[in-house]
Every structure is written in C-alpha cells, then in structure tokens.
C-alpha cells in the first residue's frame, strides 16, 4: 500500500492545486493538492512539511495543520491511501518547485473544484468544509 499526504492551502476561499504533468506515469494531466509519499520513519505531518517544501516552496506551521479526511483507491500492492490535511498557516509564497512533476499551479475557488479533472473525485467533498469563514492565513515573513 502506498501512503500519501497532501495539503490544502486556502486563501480567500481558493485552494492551491498543482497540475500533474501529462508525462507522469501515475495520474497524468490531472489537478491535485500538493503532496506525496510518506517515507519510512516519517509521520504524516513530517511528510507533509517535506513535500510542501519540495513541491511548492512553503514552510508549513505544523501546529496549524488539521486532518480533513482520507481518500482511498486501488487494492493490493497498488492500493493508495491519501491523508488530506488543511494547512492553516505557512511561510512563503507558493511556486512550482517541481517542474518535472507539475506543469502548472493555480488558486482555484472551492466552489469550482467539481468542474476540474481531479486525481481524486472525493476531494471536493472533503474541501467543502473549508468553504466558509476564512480559517486559514498566510504567515508573513519577517525581514
């Protein structure tokens, strides 16, 4: 089983999505939350912090993260378990730091997710809980 984590960074009722490159073997040409595999010896929060740093260049505030839920697909050795996390605060401005994996990133309105080709069809339902009063904020870097 593959254990994956992904993080929902939300600003003004829009969530940051990455577009998986059409050349990717797994889930090509689809939109997803940034994230990736949990490595041996890592907790999900540790993997989330590492993956968001590697993929979009932000440093998350671990205490601001809360689990939204889980998504599952496949079976046997090909089974995938995805832990979906809301990241309430982070340092830095997201940029595409993994151009070999993603060819684009975009802020997408939470109400617009259903119209996109997503890796996980259950993602809009999990993120619906975030569509309301701003619960997240960007942490400004201190010079």
């Amino acid at each position: 089983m593959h254990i994956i984590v992904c993080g929902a960074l939300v600003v003004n009722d829009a969530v940051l999505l990455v577009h998986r490159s059409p050349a990717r073997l797994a889930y090509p040409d689809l939109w997803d939350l940034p994230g990736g595999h949990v490595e041996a010896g890592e907790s999900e929060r540790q993997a989330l912090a590492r993956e968001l740093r590697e993929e979009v260049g932000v440093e998350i505030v671990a205490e601001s993260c809360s689990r939204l839920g889980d998504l599952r697909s496949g079976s046997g050795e090909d089974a995938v378990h995805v832990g979906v996390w809301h990241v309430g605060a982070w340092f830095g401005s997201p940029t595409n730091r993994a151009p070999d994996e993603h060819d684009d990133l975009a802020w997408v309105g939470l109400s617009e997710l259903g119209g996109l080709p997503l890796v996980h069809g259950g993602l809009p339902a999990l993120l619906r809980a975030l569509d309301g009063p701003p619960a997240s904020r960007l942490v400004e870097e201190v010079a």
Side-chain angles (χ1 to χ4, degrees), residues 73-142:
S73 63
S75 61
E77 287 183 25
D78 294 329
V80 177
H81 174 248
V82 182
V84 180
W85 292 77
H86 174 235
V87 179
W90 62 90
F91 294 97
S93 296
T95 58
N96 186 4
R97 299 277 178 98
D100 54 323
E101 295 182 28
H102 311 116
D103 59 7
D104 198 7
L105 57 85
W107 292 98
V108 177
L110 292 169
S111 62
E112 300 168 16
L113 290 172
L116 289 177
L118 298 169
V119 169
H120 305 285
L123 193 56
L126 280 180
L127 296 177
R128 230 176 263 136
L130 300 175
D131 195 9
S136 59
R137 59 184 170 81
L138 174 66
V139 176
E140 296 295 328
E141 293 189 63
V142 178

Side-chain angles (χ1 to χ4, degrees), residues 30-73:
L30 297 172
W31 290 93
D32 200 3
L33 294 172
H37 288 84
V38 177
E39 295 179 356
E42 277 185 321
S43 70
E44 284 197 18
R45 281 188 192 208
Q46 289 169 330
L48 183 66
R50 177 183 50 75
E51 287 288 347
L52 292 182
R53 184 180 326 106
E54 292 173 358
E55 291 193 2
V56 295
V58 299
E59 293 292 331
I60 67 171
V61 176
E63 300 79 23
S64 77
C65 299
S66 59
R67 190 182 199 88
L68 290 173
D70 300 283
L71 299 168
R72 292 181 173 81
S73 63

